[in-house]
Amino acid sequence: MAILKLDEHLYISPQLTKADAEQIAQLGIKTVICNRPDREEESQPDLAQIKQWLEQAGVTGFHHQPVTARDIQNHDVETFRQLIGQAEYPVLAYCRTGTRCSLLWGFRRAAEGMPVDEIIRRAQAAGVNLENFRERLDNARV
């Protein structure tokens, strides 16, 4: 599994597996946020199974905030901000590829004044290409 850092307290990852849960615990991650709808794909493990794997590994902080990249709204960004703000750090957010998690983070950071080029650069360093979302990120700026 690829766990890549976006900022001081936030890591992103693609879909989790049972083997990933132990690695997450070994890395000291305290909270996991799932940004995928449950049963989005037939091969995807359901949320109850993932939560069980994480709990067995000692990771008890788990939140589900399903979104789709093209439909992310301001309230989704605010919910993500609140989840991270209330979470025990570090936090791992995951979805199918890491794009949704990166977008939620990027929209929040753009609204806080981070330059869009920096957002795109950090996401790229974490393996996620947000270039197709540049205009939406520009519009998220205050």
Side-chain angles (χ1 to χ4, degrees), residues 17-34:
T17 66
K18 183 176 184 177
D20 298 331
E22 189 61 39
Q23 183 181 2
I24 289 166
Q26 289 173 358
L27 290 171
I29 291 170
K30 305 292 185 196
T31 305
V32 174
I33 301 171
C34 173

Side-chain angles (χ1 to χ4, degrees), residues 12-75:
I12 60 165
S13 170
Q15 176 63 55
L16 301 182
T17 66
K18 183 176 184 177
D20 298 331
E22 189 61 39
Q23 183 181 2
I24 289 166
Q26 289 173 358
L27 290 171
I29 291 170
K30 305 292 185 196
T31 305
V32 174
I33 301 171
C34 173
N35 293 125
R36 288 191 82 172
D38 202 16
R39 307 232 183 244
E40 183 178 39
E41 294 177 352
E42 199 171 301
S43 63
Q44 170 189 355
D46 65 31
L47 290 172
Q49 181 66 73
I50 292 169
K51 190 173 179 180
Q52 180 183 15
W53 293 337
L54 290 166
E55 287 175 353
Q56 288 171 346
V59 179
T60 57
F62 185 85
H63 301 281
H64 186 219
Q65 184 199 7
V67 295
T68 57
R70 70 181 176 279
D71 297 326
I72 292 174
Q73 302 294 317
N74 288 339
H75 65 88

Side-chain angles (χ1 to χ4, degrees), residues 6 12 102 105 118-130:
L6 279 177
I12 60 165
S102 297
W105 168 84
E118 177 67 8
I119 292 166
I120 290 173
R121 185 194 66 72
R122 286 192 190 192
Q124 187 67 44
V128 177
N129 184 349
L130 295 184

Side-chain angles (χ1 to χ4, degrees), residues 68-86:
T68 57
R70 70 181 176 279
D71 297 326
I72 292 174
Q73 302 294 317
N74 288 339
H75 65 88
D76 298 315
V77 176
E78 177 59 20
T79 298
F80 191 71
R81 185 193 67 76
Q82 289 177 7
L83 286 173
I84 291 173
Q86 297 168 2

Side-chain angles (χ1 to χ4, degrees), residues 3-13 80 84 91-93 98-106 108-109 114 118-128 130:
I3 295 179
L4 300 163
K5 194 171 192 176
L6 279 177
D7 69 18
E8 185 180 356
H9 301 295
L10 181 64
Y11 294 81
I12 60 165
S13 170
F80 191 71
I84 291 173
V91 176
L92 169 70
T99 300
R100 287 172 259 201
C101 308
S102 297
L103 277 172
L104 288 164
W105 168 84
R108 178 187 64 134
R109 297 302 301 223
M114 180 181 276
E118 177 67 8
I119 292 166
I120 290 173
R121 185 194 66 72
R122 286 192 190 192
Q124 187 67 44
V128 177
L130 295 184

